[in-house]
Amino acid sequence: MPLSKTLLLTIVLAPLFGAVVAGLFRRQVGRAGAAAITIAGVALACGLSFYVLYQLVWGGAPVFNQNLYTWFEVGRLSANVGFLVDRLTAMMMVVVTFVSLMVHVYTIGYMAEDDGFQRFFSYIALFTFSMLMLVMSNNFLQLFFGWEAVGLVSYLLIGFWFKRPSAIFANMKAFLVNRVGDFGFLLGIAGVLLWFGSLDYAQVFQNTLNGPAGVKTVEIFAGHPWSVATIVCICLFIGAMGKSAQVPLHVWLPDSMEGPTPISALIHAATMVTAGIFMVARMSPLFELSETALSFVLVIGATTALFTGLIGIVQNDIKRVVAYSTLSQLGYMTVALGVSAYAGGVYHLMTHAFFKALLFLGAGSVIVAMHHEQDMRHMGGLRKYMPITWITMWLGSLALAGAPGFAGFFSKDAIIEAVGESHRWGAGYAYFCVMAGVFVTALYSFRLLYMTFHGKERFVVDAHHGHGHDDHADHGHHEPGHLAHAPHESPWVITLPLVLLAIPSVVIGWFTIGPMLFEGWFGAAIRVTEHNDVLKELGHEFHGAWAMVLHGFTQAPFWIAFAGFAVATYIWLLNPGIADKARNALRPLYNVLANKYWIDEIYQAVFARGGVALGRGLWKGGDVGVIDGVVVNGSAAVIGRVSATVRWLQSGYLYHYAFAMILGLIALLGGLWWFAHAAP
């Protein structure tokens, strides 16, 4: 049964309808109405997305690729609104809507006493609509619309508590950094139109096979020809570097923690940061034309996977640990794309969405219980107060660390093996980074669990330091570690999403690893040339999920992860006092990581202060010195001096003017006489 336009439009428009009602009619519908209408819209989109996936996989429905609306036509160029729904799209639709639905339900409890309750629901529903438009688009222009829409809504959500200066700084930082990436992205789209002659995916991908654009070169610098495919792909990936927070455009993502925890989960798990990974996978026919671009992707991803993960080890804010974990895992996905294992990249995107949303929402549950205390140094021993949060966060952390049998194990180990199989330039460096990253991931994951849920309690229950659940905008006014009453488990609207996210974090890898990675599940949605197909080579050694799990216990990644677990257990559970000694002994390294390699300071010095200094220099030297001083004021001064001199000739006596006219006439006649006699 073919998919219908009405069905797909309903999936997209249902969250938009909820966002409009909750946002524009929030007073009429009230808090309960805003929550109900947005949750209903996203739930409808989620249910229909599962139906679309079922129809494509088991119902025999063909791929849907149609234009629904023509925006404009200029000559042979047409801009359309249309949908391309294949298995890659359907998988993304299910992930986006399911995680978003869990976040919507969770928000009822987390934002219960916030004054912006309806506004928040409107924003997150609008976020879901924007991401659906992005993943379902069948052309670059609509892709760019969704791309910018998720950027806009992330700006609104990161700065949701707009009375807090740090939130405004964070959302402006995210906006500016993403503008850098989007500039490259827009250049890439322009290159696609210029050299491939269309903005429609199907036409562009067809031209990569039959057209000359795939082998055409241009000289950006004289004598140095560049493949147009390389230029286009690198520009497109620069956009992904901003959106998916790859080094060096990663600096905005940790600061996005200034937004409420539900939006942190939505940004990090299913929407904003996954857009870049999805885009590169969708553009696999283009990227397969350029080894240079793929090596660039590979090196950037490997650097992000290791070096941002290291920063997570020294963070004390529970949300920032999870944020740097997201950066590292996005690096793993990018590495997979760089070795042409596109299916492995989006597969890790899917598994990561579940356990990362779980970890963020679990961290939010802890923050609520601790009266919005986020410093893990003031936690400890919470497992007896919050058993559901404790168990689900353990499950999420085991999935993140790649424990055999958990979702993260299947996707992460497949990426590591794919990198080991690759012979692309940069693969050796990438292999070292992803292997070292396994240790780092286990270290910060179990450090978070031990500091939060285990060991002695490092907080004091003190009624004199009470403050309410609604102290979002300024939750740091109380004395650290002092609570009005003992922590307790969160309400069911918070714990239910944790349980529902924990289930796929544990089991989803068992029945998806084979089809998605080794059996061509994505079909024509992903195109890999024969000599680049590392997953096909790995597929010869794949003998089922259970065999992979058993084999995993004998492989290096498991033992490296176990080493990270053992070190974390010894330092932060069995002998917590050694952490301070280790920090003092490794003070230079600690300072490098605590200051995040000083990248923010470099950007501030070079781009922020440098830009201000350049502007002032141009203002004083160009505007004030040249334009005002020479052109405007200088011209006025010269005219003034000339006028002052000429003024002496204006005596006002008629005989002076008559005398001057006579002298002028004599001079004119004398000149004519001389000219007549001097001529030959």
Side-chain angles (χ1 to χ4, degrees), residues 17-159:
F17 176 77
V20 170
V21 172
L24 299 183
F25 304 99
R26 59 184 183 275
R27 293 181 181 177
Q28 289 84 348
V29 299
R31 298 166 72 90
I37 194 70
T38 51
I39 291 175
V42 174
L44 177 61
C46 181
L48 294 179
S49 295
F50 273 101
Y51 175 76
V52 168
L53 182 64
Y54 172 82
Q55 287 295 328
L56 285 172
V57 177
W58 295 285
V63 171
F64 182 96
N65 184 14
Q66 293 183 31
N67 292 326
L68 279 67
Y69 173 76
T70 299
W71 183 19
F72 64 80
E73 289 185 357
V74 179
R76 291 182 296 174
L77 172 64
S78 62
N80 302 296
V81 176
F83 294 145
L84 168 59
V85 181
D86 51 19
R87 290 187 177 187
L88 174 60
T89 304
M91 184 271 288
M92 289 296 299
M93 291 164 61
V94 167
V95 169
V96 170
T97 54
F98 177 74
V99 173
S100 178
L101 179 60
M102 295 300 100
V103 170
H104 276 69
V105 174
Y106 178 95
T107 299
I108 298 174
Y110 191 87
M111 303 291 287
E113 299 177 29
D114 195 282
D115 292 338
F117 186 85
Q118 296 103 307
R119 179 165 57 94
F120 189 81
F121 270 99
S122 175
Y123 286 170
I124 57 177
L126 186 61
F127 212 164
T128 307
F129 159 75
S130 302
M131 191 65 186
L132 286 172
M133 286 294 288
L134 188 154
V135 301
M136 294 172 68
S137 63
N138 70 346
N139 62 83
F140 283 90
L141 199 60
Q142 186 177 331
L143 171 70
F144 188 71
F145 164 78
W147 194 268
E148 293 303 306
V150 294
L152 168 65
V153 184
S154 69
Y155 169 83
L156 296 173
L157 283 162
I158 294 170

Side-chain angles (χ1 to χ4, degrees), residues 407-419:
F409 160 77
F410 293 104
S411 55
K412 184 185 288 187
D413 272 35
I415 291 173
I416 293 173
E417 291 185 20
V419 176

